[in-house]
Amino acid sequence: MRTTKFLILFVLLCFKLSNAQESTQQSLQEKWTLIALNAMQSEGFYLDLANNSYEISDEYKKIITPENESNIKAAITQFTERFKDNFVLFEQNNIQRVIAGDENKGTFIIKNNNDKSFLNINYNNNIKDSLEFFIKDKRLHIIVDNEAEFIFTK
């Protein structure tokens, strides 16, 4: 009897876990448009593409002089232009991404590791990638190399 209960619980747990992954894959489906880029830790800035604004980290604010402030604003404006109209499209297990003028297509699977979810991507040009992601407040967050966080909305 104890073995039967254990087996039933095990099957239910497996079913729940498989549905959780499918649910995550299902929630990715559609086109996600890039609305923000958070590179505060690596580059010292946050771009809000939806509102055409930016923030500079306190660390960088301390070293910005009036002479180089206009250069920084021009560089960020140029950077912002490169990321306008960027997106990621998920259709079943296919992915298409256009980021900073670079377009790639391929397939993906979702892997979970230590309470984190990863997109394991095989691009058509034989490049492979593994990117941490999560969905919070109806926004898709994709983290690249623990340096930049791309934030998308449907």
Side-chain angles (χ1 to χ4, degrees), residues 20-100:
Q21 181 171 347
E22 187 61 36
S23 168
T24 302
Q25 184 166 347
Q26 185 61 34
S27 64
L28 287 174
Q29 300 301 298
E30 292 187 51
K31 183 177 181 178
W32 295 82
T33 303
L34 183 66
I35 59 168
L37 170 60
N38 184 357
M40 276 292 194
Q41 292 183 0
S42 62
E43 302 296 328
F45 66 86
Y46 176 91
L47 295 178
D48 183 340
L49 300 167
N51 296 309
N52 201 24
S53 63
Y54 66 90
E55 295 176 35
I56 298 174
S57 70
D58 291 338
E59 180 181 319
Y60 280 94
K61 285 179 185 176
K62 292 176 189 175
I63 60 174
I64 295 174
T65 64
E67 295 83 36
N68 66 11
E69 186 172 357
S70 63
N71 291 338
I72 292 170
K73 285 183 181 180
I76 289 176
T77 300
Q78 182 181 11
F79 206 69
T80 301
E81 284 298 315
R82 290 186 67 205
F83 285 97
K84 280 190 176 177
D85 302 321
N86 288 213
F87 67 89
V88 151
L89 173 65
F90 297 94
E91 292 178 322
Q92 297 172 349
N93 71 328
N94 296 306
I95 184 171
Q96 175 188 8
R97 71 159 179 81
V98 175
I99 302 292

